[in-house]
Amino acid sequence: MCGIAGIFHSDPHQSIDPQLLVNMAAIQYHRGPDGFGWKTLDDLGVGFSHARLSIIDLDENRARQPFLSEDEQLLLAHNGEFYDYKRIRTDLTSRGARFRTKSDSELVLHLYPRLGLDGMLPQLRGEFGFALYDRQDDSLILVRDRFGVKPLYWTEVNGKIMFGSELKVLFAHPEVPRRMSATGLYHQLMQTMVPGSTAFENIHQIKPGHALIIHRRHGKFQIEDRKYWDMDFPLLAEREPMGDEEQYIEGVREKLMEAVQLRLEADVPVACYLSGGIDSCAILGLSSASQQSPVKAFTIGFDDAAYDETAIAREMAESVGADQDILTLQGDHLYDNLPETLWHAERTIYNTLGVAKFLMSRHVYASGYKVVVTGEGSDELFAGYPAFRRDMFLHGLDTLSAADRAGWEQLLAESNQLFKGAMLAENDLHDPALDALVGFTPSCLQPWLAAATHVPGLMAEDLRREVEGYEPGRAIADAIDGDMLEGRHPLDKAQYVWIKTMLEGQILTWGGDRVDMANSMEARPAFLDHHLAEYACTLPPEMRINGRTEKYVLREAMKGVLPRVLYEREKFAFMAPPAHTDPKKWAAMRRLADEYLTPQRIEAAGLLDVQGVQALFDLHDAPDTTTSTQVQLDAVINHMLGVQILHHHFIAGDVPALARRRADELGWRP
């Protein structure tokens, strides 16, 4: 895993300052502390840079990127991992290809000329974001992996395309404006982003499973956004009758074993993250069976017993002989590290789990590990979240009576009471645009759409006027491909919407890559292997949610490696305790509010409204405010803090100067 950056001029005769490329690499040093590289094609107005975390091919000089093809037609900068690369490299070599490195990244330089873009992308398996300049076509191609595990941002300013693995990489270029848009602010405060967007004006993301092809024609850019993969659930009319359960169980077992074994491939030691959930326990069980030596297992513990899962994690580690390392975190300590976490997350977060993951990745790297295999993605493939079960019961069980459905919903609410207001909305909510697109408003979005009612009153007056009449649900619906929802089962629809919003926008961002790579630590989510995902799409809904048992097929497939208490346990969403549950944590949050949410700081930033902020705190503290509402307002408070901290880092701060200073400190020079 690494960090990439680059500049592409509309005028090919305009030169690129190598120092800018070096600065753009240096500002993301945390993504690649093991070396850097840069390269310009001076006659073409193209330049790339790269910060390297060495995991495959540890030879510093041989694997230094950017890579220029032997015929000098292709320039490549790659972040991420291509799995199964040894087999592909061997096949290409047998057909006459000559590789200059042992890096998995070099595959692109051999596959693209042979197969073209559309033929190459299906061959690439893993997590990646890469840039490829094609001299013959005079085009820049930016590609992001299928689920968006790896980030990739871009902007167009003054006849230039700038791109990078993080927002701060773009901001390191002095011509890139650093302004938060009104709609970006709106969505930061309500948690759910519009797919493909960011909080900042004119700064875009490459969508998961997409390639952005930027052709340079007669001094202008022609930009094509091409989707190459999607989570394609079968139409209801195409689904075959339920077959023998064992065939589905065997299919999941086979695909998951392969995905895990591929992700254990590295030239450095590989560990596992271990919580008390089925997902990470299954990963550890398979990893332990695949390796000769004990697997290192890292576990986060909390000082709140209601949220702590270390007892089950310890039982799992002992059952497979893993070498477990438990990092127990204090609730108030999480807020002390929130500003630094947001420097890396580059978006607001609703729960301090992101801070906990940041502190854990620091601990993992300090323990001598650069790579961990993780359990993210299992809930998305096998319908593990309470919101999915709710949607299944309300919209996907046509054979149940209304009374039975109400009974199931009550059972669900009782079993997930901790997460009411966050994982589940306090009250049922219907958004017209989402109802029209999906057939119902997915439960996963309802808490954040409910939180959106607080947002206009929190925004500064001029920004509030800009979003007058704005419909966040419609903006989200307009960014989702309705063709992938039409004619599908309600559970498929709910999972698809979650994958396009919550998975990419938070779990893989402030709960994944950004807080892992903040400490030069690569996380590999085995469940998001696209071969496994494509198989999971074919599973009948009742193999995902069977009665009151979520992730039924995964439980059965992994029954042999899971402790009995875990096999029988109901889904427990992994979260940090909300601030209001702990006086010390609440006091730590208030200390941060006293720094960033003062009237002076609010007015200086020009994003929030002083009276609106105070009114929200008053509502939180009111004696008649329900616990569920407090959970929701805890999230909004975190977002208010977050936008002020983001302003401090990226708008008030001189990011180009910081990037240059960082390059000088590192001794990185053109």
Side-chain angles (χ1 to χ4, degrees):
M1 297 292 182
C2 310
I4 66 173
I7 304 169
F8 184 38
H9 286 302
S10 58
D11 178 2
H13 303 295
Q14 189 170 351
S15 63
I16 293 174
D17 181 0
Q19 184 65 58
L20 275 180
L21 293 173
V22 174
N23 296 349
M24 292 165 80
I27 197 75
Q28 55 182 330
Y29 165 82
H30 49 276
R31 296 189 72 89
D34 297 330
F36 84 103
W38 65 274
K39 190 173 292 292
T40 60
L41 303 180
D42 293 328
D43 57 333
L44 294 167
V46 179
F48 292 178
S49 61
H50 189 266
R52 182 167 192 255
L53 180 65
S54 54
I55 289 170
I56 304 291
D57 192 353
L58 305 185
D59 187 309
E60 178 182 345
N61 294 313
R62 182 174 61 193
R64 185 188 303 273
Q65 293 189 43
F67 288 155
L68 186 64
S69 63
E70 194 168 0
D71 62 4
E72 299 189 352
Q73 293 298 301
L74 302 173
L75 181 66
L76 171 72
H78 171 232
N79 165 38
E81 301 290 353
F82 298 136
Y83 302 116
D84 202 22
Y85 70 95
K86 289 182 177 179
R87 180 191 62 79
I88 299 173
R89 185 176 65 201
T90 301
D91 177 74
L92 289 169
T93 301
S94 74
R95 299 173 189 274
R98 294 295 176 261
F99 286 77
R100 292 182 288 175
T101 75
K102 293 294 185 180
S103 168
D104 58 302
S105 303
E106 195 184 347
L107 289 178
V108 171
L109 297 183
H110 296 277
L111 289 171
Y112 179 78
R114 288 167 170 79
L115 303 175
L117 181 64
D118 292 337
M120 174 184 70
L121 292 174
Q123 305 296 316
L124 302 178
R125 184 175 187 174
E127 306 94 41
F128 48 82
F130 66 85
L132 181 69
Y133 173 71
D134 181 343
R135 180 193 291 260
Q136 183 175 350
D137 189 54
D138 197 16
S139 60
L140 171 67
I141 305 169
L142 303 176
V143 181
R144 194 173 181 200
D145 67 72
R146 293 165 179 85
F147 286 100
V149 179
K150 295 289 105 186
L152 187 53
Y153 299 93
W154 69 281
T155 190
E156 180 181 1
V157 180
N158 300 333
K160 305 175 184 69
I161 298 288
M162 273 73 86
F163 68 85
S165 294
E166 299 190 1
L167 290 171
K168 62 182 69 72
V169 177
L170 277 59
F171 293 155
H173 195 295
E175 293 184 48
V176 176
R178 306 192 308 277
R179 292 190 295 267
M180 201 172 289
S181 68
T183 54
L185 173 63
Y186 194 113
H187 284 273
Q188 292 293 288
L189 289 169
M190 68 168 278
Q191 167 66 21
T192 306
M193 299 294 292
V194 176
S197 73
T198 71
F200 295 90
E201 196 169 294
N202 198 38
I203 307 292
H204 316 285
Q205 295 192 64
I206 308 299
K207 290 184 179 181
H210 281 237
L212 196 75
I213 306 158
I214 305 164
H215 303 279
R216 183 168 53 188
R217 300 289 185 264
H218 309 296
K220 295 183 178 180
F221 294 127
Q222 297 175 3
I223 300 177
E224 175 191 355
D225 186 3
R226 185 183 303 177
K227 181 168 72 170
Y228 70 88
W229 188 89
D230 211 341
M231 194 75 171
D232 191 2
F233 290 96
L235 296 172
L236 275 171
E238 297 171 344
R239 282 198 176 275
E240 298 180 357
M242 174 81 170
D244 178 46
E245 282 191 4
E246 197 58 34
Q247 72 180 28
Y248 304 118
I249 293 167
E250 284 296 330
V252 169
R253 184 182 292 128
E254 175 189 344
K255 298 291 186 185
L256 182 56
M257 283 194 302
E258 181 182 51
V260 169
Q261 288 167 349
L262 285 171
R263 282 158 181 77
L264 293 172
E265 173 68 37
D267 294 336
V268 295
V270 179
C272 289
Y273 272 157
L274 175 64
S275 69
I278 289 174
D279 316 327
S280 63
C281 288
I283 296 297
L284 177 62
L286 295 178
S287 299
S288 297
S290 299
Q291 296 194 167
Q292 298 297 98
S293 56
V295 176
K296 188 78 171 181
F298 290 95
T299 298
I300 296 174
F302 295 113
D303 58 351
D304 185 329
Y307 290 82
D308 185 59
E309 298 185 289
T310 55
I312 294 177
R314 186 179 291 111
E315 184 174 343
M316 179 66 205
E318 291 173 354
S319 73
V320 297
D323 177 14
Q324 189 180 24
D325 184 323
I326 299 174
L327 176 66
T328 300
L329 298 172
Q330 307 298 313
D332 54 334
H333 188 48
L334 297 178
Y335 275 101
D336 295 339
N337 290 273
L338 180 63
E340 187 178 2
T341 302
L342 294 183
W343 165 256
H344 293 285
E346 299 178 335
R347 63 148 298 168
T348 63
I349 64 178
Y350 82 91
N351 182 268
T352 50
L353 173 61
V355 184
K357 293 286 294 293
F358 169 75
L359 295 173
M360 173 54 92
S361 69
R362 176 184 289 172
H363 178 69
V364 169
Y365 190 77
S367 301
Y369 286 82
K370 293 181 178 181
V371 184
V372 294
V373 186
T374 74
E376 282 88 4
S378 168
D379 290 307
E380 285 70 23
L381 299 190
F382 304 112
Y385 290 114
F388 295 149
R389 199 158 17 136
R390 185 175 187 274
D391 288 340
M392 177 76 161
F393 295 153
L394 292 181
H395 309 291
L397 295 179
D398 296 336
T399 58
L400 285 185
S401 68
D404 286 340
R405 287 200 300 273
W408 277 114
E409 185 178 0
Q410 180 62 30
L411 185 67
L412 177 68
E414 290 171 358
S415 62
N416 290 282
Q417 193 61 42
L418 277 174
F419 313 110
K420 199 81 168 177
M423 297 298 288
L424 293 172
E426 185 171 11
N427 301 300
D428 196 25
L429 182 148
H430 292 279
D431 181 89
L434 287 164
D435 279 353
L437 177 74
V438 185
F440 56 92
T441 299
S443 295
C444 66
L445 295 182
Q446 290 189 29
W448 313 118
L449 292 168
T453 60
H454 301 289
V455 169
L458 295 174
M459 297 175 69
E461 185 177 354
D462 57 333
L463 295 171
R464 187 187 314 141
R465 283 197 299 268
E466 283 190 52
V467 296
E468 189 173 344
Y470 181 70
E471 300 177 50
R474 183 170 300 281
I476 293 168
D478 288 347
I480 294 174
D481 187 348
D483 289 343
M484 305 305 295
L485 295 168
E486 188 175 353
R488 269 69 171 193
H489 188 279
L491 182 59
D492 298 343
K493 294 179 180 183
Q495 289 177 233
Y496 184 86
V497 171
W498 177 284
I499 287 167
K500 294 301 172 183
T501 55
M502 309 303 287
L503 174 65
E504 188 274 338
Q506 64 176 41
I507 294 170
L508 297 179
T509 304
W510 61 258
D513 171 90
R514 311 309 295 281
V515 291
D516 293 321
M517 290 299 287
N519 293 296
S520 312
M521 202 279 296
E522 170 183 303
R524 297 176 169 182
F527 284 102
L528 294 180
D529 183 278
H530 76 280
H531 291 243
L532 173 60
E534 288 169 354
Y535 181 77
C537 280
T538 69
L539 295 170
E542 51 268 51
M543 288 302 297
R544 287 170 265 161
I545 299 178
N546 188 319
R548 61 179 295 168
T549 304
E550 82 288 332
K551 294 191 286 192
Y552 175 76
V553 67
L554 180 63
R555 289 174 190 264
E556 296 303 312
M558 294 293 102
K559 188 175 182 179
V561 300
L562 299 175
R564 183 177 180 84
V565 64
L566 186 60
Y567 169 73
E568 295 177 348
R569 185 192 190 205
E570 196 172 347
K571 167 70 182 177
F572 184 95
F574 186 46
M575 295 172 61
H580 76 272
T581 63
D582 178 355
K584 289 195 301 182
K585 190 171 186 181
W586 183 256
M589 183 279 296
R590 290 301 315 217
R591 286 196 299 272
L592 210 55
D594 289 342
E595 180 177 357
Y596 287 98
L597 289 174
T598 63
Q600 295 80 9
R601 292 290 289 267
I602 290 173
E603 289 172 1
L607 298 174
L608 301 177
D609 179 86
V610 173
Q611 287 75 30
V613 169
Q614 185 57 53
L616 190 126
F617 273 106
D618 291 343
L619 176 60
H620 183 284
D621 296 341
D624 58 345
T625 297
T626 65
T627 300
S628 296
T629 298
Q630 280 190 314
V631 171
Q632 181 192 89
L633 296 180
D634 270 8
V636 178
I637 289 168
N638 286 336
H639 293 314
M640 294 191 308
L641 284 167
V643 297
Q644 288 290 107
I645 293 169
L646 292 180
H647 182 276
H648 169 76
H649 284 325
F650 301 116
I651 299 175
D654 189 342
V655 183
L658 175 62
R660 177 59 190 262
R661 193 159 61 246
R662 188 71 51 85
D664 291 341
E665 292 167 354
L666 294 169
W668 288 9
R669 296 181 177 87

